[in-house]
Amino acid sequence: MKMTRFSKSSTVTRKFFSFGCVFVLIYFLMFAEIVLLFKGRRRSSLSPDQALQEALRTRLRVVESNSQDVIQLFKDLSARLVCVHAEKDSFVLTFKTVDEIWKFSTYLALGYVARCLENFLCDQSIWLDPELLGDLEINVTVSEEQLATLYLELLIQEGSFFAKALFTQNKNEDDEEQLSFKKNDLLIVRDTGQDNIWEGSMLATGNHGSVPVNAMQPLPYPFYQWFLRKYPGSAECSLTEKEPFEHCIVTGSCVAVVDHSATGPDELQLSQGDIVEIQGLLLRSLNVFIGKHTSTGHTGFVHKAHVRPLNTTPLDEQLIFLTEEERASLAQVNPCSSELADSSLPERLFSSDISCVYRLDRSTGTPPYQSSPRTSLSHSSSRMSIYQPHSLLPHEGERLSFPLDDTFRELDEFQEDPPLLLEENSWDGDESELSDPTLTLLNQEHFQEDFLSLYDLQCSFLWVIFRSKPEDELPGHLESVRECAKRLGMHWAHRRACFLLGRLCARRKKFSQARVYYEEALSVCVDSFSDMPLLIAIYTNVTSIYLKQRMMEKLPQTLEKASALLLCVHCHAFTSTDEVELLKLLLRRSVVMMDKHLEARVCYLTSSLFLLLRKTDDALPFVERLQFLSRTLSVSEGRPIAPLDLNWLLSWLYHRKYMPYLALASLSLDSRQDHSLHNAFQRIELFIKNSVRLNPCWKEGTSLLPAQIVVYLQQTLAIAERGKVAKTQRDLCLALASTYLQYGALEKAVHCARQAVETGGHINEEEGFEASVLLGWLLVLSGQAEAAQCVLHPLITSLQSTDSPTQRGVIHNLVALCLRHQGRVREAGTHFHSALVISRESGNQRNQALALANLGCLALGVGASWLAERFLVRSLYLFVDLCESPTDEEHVQTYLWLGRSYRDRGRSQNSRGSLSVFGTGQMVVAKVLSRLYNDMLLYCQSIVYYEHCVSVARELKDKRLEGEYLEILSSLYLSLNTERSSRKSLDYTKQSLRISIDLGKREEESETWLQVGRIYHLIQEDELAHMYLQAAVKTALRMNDPLFTMSIYEESGDVYFKGLRNPMAALPFYRDGSLPFARSINDIHSEFRLLSKLTQLLMNHGKHQEALQYATLAVQVANKTGVLLNERTAYHRLATVYYSLELYEMAENYYLKSLSLCPAVLQDPAEARYYTKVYCRLGNLTLHKLKFSFVYITYECNHFKMRIVERTLNFSTNTVIFHKQFHKIPSNYTKIGNKINIF
């Protein structure tokens, strides 16, 4: 979506308000919903990617049928899902509040909506291919006009909203209720039910009155409505007609245009022509800035009206509203730095049992590649890790802090006491006042680093400088210091003592007393800018109190100066939580002045303050707004500007707010290149934690982690390679190889394993061993047995002289698997036996069980079922002793092999028993059992296990598998041939139909419509049958496959034609649908077939005259097919029609034509039987109908001979002895027939 404000709001507002409330409500009902469109595309191509779009559409169809997941997705995005239109690639959304539309529009502009849809709709395999992933993207669009309209209508619906005055209106003496206001004043307006008049309240003064509708413009961003409602107040500003400064924020120098006498000690004395160097920044929206007189060297406040730009430059194009120092400090915001976290994440990511646990043979086609369940992410590894110092993300419920080097500085800990620490005994004694250490400390003329504790946000001076003095006694002592300093003329001590007293009063919520102290501190005449932090602290604190106590009469004295100190000084250090009051006012000012640069700078400071105070919920809207502004300013500036990337911070804030979709979206959009290795691991953990929230089964390691983790592992690997951290590189390569292995991407897994071997070899031999074993295993799985041997044989040699029996056993086991894949069974058995002996000697029962299972599989492969049974039973006993889970993969596979051995030996009952142990735990076992029972014709038992397969597929949310099993179940129930089973079959077929529709498989959908129609016909519900058959045809017509459509058309008619009831219902399908369609696509074979069926159908129902037309056409089409059998059949059928119509001469003619097309050599008794029947018909016809006795005798003679041929063929076909002789008999009779001119 184009990232702009609702720019059409003013136009729409005037239009709506001019027509009145009734029209607005009607219009709202018409446009209460918006349509969100999505398109998948490749960045490398300008044209849309139809294949990608269809894949996304298919996924959307799946979730459309069970929309809870997509409802939750849009709930996270602050939208309400109305419906999903998969075919239109759209979602229909609505909103009930302005806050909802504000948040959604923000997420839309930041790219989170598109990225959430990518994460939600894209197939897992896409994340395994970085090149493809980088090329694909999803674009989302909404109508800006509809969104703006809906925003305005929600404002009206809520009853009140904030608006800006478009022009000035003075008080009308004749109308006491009329409210006077000035241009750009902020008001809150309410509907009074009148067409042109609304009730308004001034934010600045609180005055009420009536305002004209056409004078009000709703604030264009929903964020403004939220902010002003939550933080009401005045903006205390006025717009200037002409602004001499072109850019919003500049640095450089200015020249004085007037003479100016300083009104206070902190202002500069200027003469016309004096050059002033800007200190920090100059903001166009502020009336004051900090300058340094180039001639005198003095620093002070300068009124912007007294100067004009001389040599000014805007901030760097990449920054716009931040200095380089602020950007650097903001980039170092570490939301997890001081948290206790699970430091074992890297260890758990990289942990593998490949070098100590045997692998089971996968050559028999076991679905999963991984030999053992993934290490659970909920349990820590006991082994110490080199990553132990890493502090990752906090656990749920823990607090967080956001320390920065400068901007976010915390002084909670000190390595040693500061040099000016005041000891306990320094408060007492008879020493003179001049020797008071507090006076000495506070009377320094310039800023000292040790003064930071006086000004910081935490009031750390209480325990750093005055730690020996109770807090309730400290005000009394500071009061005496103040009096002494005042009496002795120690101005700096006087100012600092007043400031500290003010802080203590404010800390106790005594704001009036604090204000008095701050005002006194300001009145002390010193070179204020010698201690800039103190000056900032005093001005910001006293101004914040003015705002808190609504002392508007005093506010002009300090507001502009405090604003300049807050906004113009680099890397502001906060001194009070009350500074947020000043920031709120400045943000309101930016709203009135429409100054995005000022707004961005205030949002930066506001979010910084809230993060320091650990108010993450309060900080989030301002961080989002700051990210939004950094993107929109690039557009408004008309030049490319690198936006400030706050996605890393936002992902953490969303994580804290339990919004996993947004957390993952912002994390994936984090494009910063300056992440440390520590941060990279934090990103991985943040991804895992939010993925677990979306799919809790990942938590316990019972399912694979989402494939997106590959992206974060690759990013971490790139950082490790830049830092040349070899150990971490090797571990990350192993983690990537394991992840690719989990998803069956063996080629990529082998590549990563080779990289791990190479990197580990540079460290030491031990580090490279595990990688080499993994590489060997991957090569075995990918069918590269010889390459695997080349990797594994050196390992056997290297382990001969070491005390590592388990590792030797692992290598022997893998080498045996290589040999088995090469067909070298004897050598494979030797290595399996060596592995078994080693596991027995070391007492490792798991490895013993696996070695025995592999030996059983080896024996099973060569047909030694009895030997295989012994090995497998012993293996299972060991698995039981180990208390393995019934769903453990190796355990299940061993039972499958045992069941196969029983079946090979004809012990089917034992086979079922061995498999039934896991009938409720694994889909693969359920499939084997269901097929076994099906082969044994035990359909009821087969149905039980196929129903279990359906339930497992639903748990896995695998619609494709679910549809396949539903089809099988439908067929099984239908085969039981009862009314109840037929209705059960109908139910499963309808479920399969819904899945076919969801998956967008038109061919399967059409066939399923057809099957439902068949079943309805079987249960005698013809109306529903006809409806579903028509739906099958309509679905097929939407496909660009005429042959498939032709088959559906014909099969729809066949339902009735081949049925036992109402066969004439096939007539419209054949005559009105199939036949014209066959002619339109020039399919003469289908046309002939349909004409034949129509002839037969009409003949069966006595409509001989109509049948004659189709039979005649069938003869014509049969000649075009070039198939002799078609022509013979067509002539015979036409002859039969004529016979039924009592046109016997025509019938005789076409019977003879049919006989003339018969083969010269008869090959089958059916052909002889055909001759027999035709000659019998011809004989009867000539004797009884045509009265030709001589011809009758000829036909009867041939009839008798064909009977002999038929019997001879039947006897010869069933007798092996006469196999060679029987072919001579037909030919002899054929010669006889030729002599009497029959053929």
Side-chain angles (χ1 to χ4, degrees), residues 882-1013:
L882 289 170
C883 298
E884 292 288 343
S885 167
T887 59
D888 180 75
E889 182 185 326
E890 291 92 351
H891 202 173
V892 171
Q893 183 61 58
T894 306
Y895 266 101
L896 287 172
W897 285 336
L898 181 60
R900 179 182 161 189
S901 70
Y902 285 142
R903 186 188 61 187
D904 291 348
R905 296 178 62 200
R907 298 166 60 184
S908 299
Q909 192 66 32
N910 298 72
S911 175
R912 296 201 304 271
S914 67
L915 294 173
S916 297
V917 177
F918 299 103
T920 58
Q922 292 283 335
M923 179 183 289
V924 63
V925 179
K927 285 174 61 179
V928 172
L929 280 168
S930 56
R931 290 173 182 172
L932 178 63
Y933 284 120
N934 200 16
D935 293 341
M936 298 171 65
L937 304 182
L938 299 174
Y939 297 121
C940 292
Q941 290 89 333
S942 180
I943 285 173
V944 170
Y945 288 105
Y946 272 120
E947 286 179 337
H948 174 68
C949 289
V950 170
S951 64
V952 173
R954 285 171 178 166
E955 290 178 5
L956 296 174
K957 296 183 179 180
D958 191 329
K959 291 287 185 180
R960 182 186 59 80
L961 273 179
E962 183 184 348
E964 291 177 5
Y965 292 132
L966 286 170
E967 289 178 10
I968 295 172
L969 276 170
S970 173
S971 300
L972 287 172
Y973 273 110
L974 199 60
S975 66
L976 297 179
N977 202 24
T978 65
E979 183 179 357
R980 183 177 179 182
S981 65
S982 297
R983 291 194 177 276
K984 192 72 174 177
S985 172
L986 180 65
D987 178 54
Y988 281 125
T989 308
K990 285 184 176 180
Q991 293 181 43
S992 175
L993 175 61
R994 284 194 292 270
I995 291 175
S996 298
I997 295 172
D998 291 342
L999 295 178
K1001 296 182 177 181
R1002 290 285 176 81
E1003 185 173 334
E1004 293 181 8
E1005 179 188 346
S1006 181
E1007 291 173 345
T1008 312
W1009 283 112
L1010 182 64
Q1011 181 65 10
V1012 175

Side-chain angles (χ1 to χ4, degrees), residues 1002 1005-1006 1009 1027-1039 1045 1048-1049 1052:
R1002 290 285 176 81
E1005 179 188 346
S1006 181
W1009 283 112
M1027 182 183 69
Y1028 276 91
L1029 293 175
Q1030 289 288 355
V1033 171
K1034 289 179 181 178
T1035 304
L1037 286 171
R1038 291 200 297 268
M1039 299 176 59
T1045 305
I1048 293 296
Y1049 251 132
S1052 299

Side-chain angles (χ1 to χ4, degrees), residues 1184-1202:
H1184 300 292
K1185 306 298 182 183
L1186 299 177
K1187 309 300 183 178
F1188 296 154
S1189 57
F1190 173 75
V1191 179
Y1192 165 73
I1193 294 172
T1194 305
Y1195 288 147
E1196 279 300 308
C1197 179
N1198 287 310
H1199 173 213
F1200 174 73
K1201 293 175 182 178
M1202 288 298 114

Side-chain angles (χ1 to χ4, degrees), residues 443-456:
N443 202 43
Q444 302 292 323
E445 292 188 3
H446 300 284
F447 171 74
Q448 306 288 329
E449 287 294 332
D450 304 315
F451 289 165
L452 287 175
S453 61
L454 299 177
Y455 314 137
D456 64 9

Side-chain angles (χ1 to χ4, degrees), residues 741-803:
L741 172 60
Q742 290 173 356
Y743 285 93
L746 290 177
E747 185 177 349
K748 291 183 173 64
V750 168
H751 173 74
C752 292
R754 290 189 189 279
Q755 191 176 351
V757 170
E758 182 181 352
T759 307
H762 295 158
I763 305 173
N764 54 56
E765 185 176 347
E766 182 180 355
E767 295 294 341
F769 177 79
E770 184 176 342
S772 298
V773 176
L774 178 60
L775 176 60
W777 172 233
L778 292 172
L779 290 171
V780 170
L781 293 176
S782 59
Q784 305 177 52
E786 294 181 1
Q789 269 190 284
C790 295
V791 173
L792 296 171
H793 271 302
L795 298 180
I796 292 181
T797 305
S798 65
L799 290 173
Q800 294 299 330
S801 58
T802 62
D803 186 19

Side-chain angles (χ1 to χ4, degrees), residues 132 205 231 287 395 505 578 639 650 753 800 851 863 1029 1108 1212:
L132 178 62
T205 62
Y231 305 109
N287 296 324
H395 298 295
C505 293
D578 294 329
R639 51 197 168 98
L650 281 167
Q800 294 299 330
L1029 293 175
L1108 178 61
S1212 301

Side-chain angles (χ1 to χ4, degrees), residues 164 238 290 396 616 652 683 739 782 809 812 893 911 1230:
K164 186 172 66 171
S238 58
I290 303 169
E396 300 296 333
T616 54
W652 170 248
R683 283 159 52 85
T739 306
S782 59
H812 277 296
Q893 183 61 58
S911 175
T1230 303

